[in-house]
């Protein structure tokens, strides 16, 4: 009985369906209490806007809070600063993204915004890709074996770098209800969601019947 090592590969391009916003509010002051007062007012103003547009304050998570002296503060007119950072995860809809940017512009919000995009069913996707990679290896092995009139009998060993994935921000019923009110219609609200390419590969040693 012979052996044959054949690599299998699978690839899938998927559209991201979830976005995580990280929003940073910063303020300066003559004193720490002055800076904290200003940054709290900025955050409160933002949360009030969100509440008016269907997103309640309890849906945001605290990421970081900090108040301190600036480096080299003796030369600063405003020697102290304070920052508050919050985040929220919601379905990735172009209108949501556009509305968030419009709110920042229209309400003149002093906020640093960052977005991360995810595919919520990443674990399920990679399990499917692993199966496809194994099937790809078998198909190739059977084709090669057929050239010499041989047949695949079974697997001797499998080598893969597959590791367990956890679904990222699964689209549960709570997340699905998040939908910002559209500030005003625009072409940017029709943009397509970003995509990612995920892959899996295996190297299988197949047993061959003579």
């Amino acid at each position: 009985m012979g052996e044959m090592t054949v690599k299998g590969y699978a690839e899938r391009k998927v559209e991201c369906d979830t976005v995580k916003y990280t929003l940073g509010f910063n303020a300066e002051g003559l004193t720490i209490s002055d800076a904290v007062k200003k940054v709290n007012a900025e955050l409160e103003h933002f949360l009030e806007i969100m509440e008016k547009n269907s997103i309640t304050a309890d849906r945001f998570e605290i990421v970081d809070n900090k108040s301190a002296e600036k480096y080299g503060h003796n030369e600063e007119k405003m020697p102290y600063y304070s920052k508050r950072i919050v985040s929220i995860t919601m379905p990735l809809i172009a209108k949501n993204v556009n509305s968030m940017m419009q709110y920042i512009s229209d309400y003149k919000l002093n906020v640093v915004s960052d977005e991360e995009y995810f595919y919520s069913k990443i674990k399920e996707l990679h399990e499917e890709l692993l199966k496809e990679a194994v099937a790809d290896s078998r198909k190739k092995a059977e084709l090669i074996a057929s050239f010499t009139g041989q047949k695949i009998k079974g697997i001797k060993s499998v080598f893969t770098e597959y590791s367990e994935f956890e679904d990222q921000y699964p689209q549960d019923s709570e997340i699905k209800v998040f939908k910002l009110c559209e500030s005003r219609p625009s072409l940017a609200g029709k943009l397509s969601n970003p995509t990612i390419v995920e892959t899996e590969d295996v190297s299988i040693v197949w047993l061959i019947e003579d």
Side-chain angles (χ1 to χ4, degrees):
M1 185 175 293
E3 297 178 0
M4 180 194 308
T5 302
V6 181
K7 290 185 177 180
Y9 179 79
E11 178 180 293
R12 189 90 59 84
K13 183 178 182 180
V14 294
E15 187 176 278
C16 295
D17 58 8
T18 307
V19 57
K20 180 179 180 180
Y21 295 98
T22 301
L23 304 148
F25 299 84
N26 300 276
E28 300 175 328
L30 291 171
T31 63
I32 285 183
S33 62
D34 183 34
V36 169
K37 182 178 180 180
K38 290 178 181 177
V39 81
N40 282 346
E42 289 282 354
L43 176 58
E44 192 70 15
H45 179 46
F46 170 76
L47 294 176
E48 287 173 354
I49 294 168
M50 291 295 102
E51 292 258 357
K52 291 177 182 177
N53 290 279
S54 77
I55 307 299
T56 57
D58 63 310
R59 302 313 307 173
F60 290 86
E61 294 182 1
I62 297 171
V63 176
D64 189 27
N65 291 318
K66 185 175 182 180
S67 300
E69 291 180 337
K70 292 182 184 177
Y71 178 76
H73 65 278
N74 291 332
E75 299 177 4
E76 293 279 348
K77 292 182 179 179
M78 296 286 185
Y80 299 93
Y81 75 93
S82 183
K83 69 176 182 180
R84 301 197 67 177
I85 302 174
V86 298
S87 69
I88 187 171
T89 302
M90 62 175 64
L92 178 51
I93 303 169
K95 288 183 179 180
N96 275 356
V97 175
N98 193 50
S99 293
M100 184 71 79
M101 298 307 292
Q102 286 186 9
Y103 294 157
I104 292 172
S105 173
D106 293 348
Y107 291 97
K108 297 179 175 58
L109 297 173
N110 181 27
V111 58
V112 177
S113 175
D114 183 56
E115 298 172 15
E116 293 180 82
Y117 308 114
F118 303 94
Y119 178 65
S120 61
K121 296 181 179 179
I122 197 73
K123 179 181 179 181
E124 182 180 310
L125 173 61
H126 276 271
E127 288 175 352
E128 292 174 0
L129 287 172
L130 187 60
K131 291 178 183 177
E132 291 174 10
V134 171
D136 180 54
S137 174
R138 184 181 185 92
K139 182 179 179 180
K140 292 173 181 174
E142 289 176 340
L143 179 62
I144 295 170
S146 70
F147 296 154
T148 56
Q150 297 173 304
K151 291 183 179 181
I152 298 299
K153 184 173 180 61
I155 294 176
K156 179 180 179 181
S157 57
V158 179
F159 303 93
T160 178
E161 293 184 1
Y162 175 80
S163 57
E164 288 293 329
F165 284 81
E166 293 295 330
D167 283 343
Q168 299 169 315
Y169 306 105
Q171 292 282 7
D172 59 29
S173 57
E174 286 187 306
I175 292 179
K176 284 182 179 178
V177 300
F178 286 7
K179 187 175 181 181
L180 289 171
C181 296
E182 191 171 10
S183 180
R184 58 181 179 276
S186 72
L187 292 176
K190 298 179 181 180
L191 293 173
S192 300
N193 286 1
T195 59
I196 56 173
V197 176
E198 296 293 317
T199 64
E200 283 292 344
D201 60 81
V202 295
S203 183
I204 302 177
V205 178
W206 296 93
L207 298 173
I208 306 171
E209 276 187 341
D210 295 327

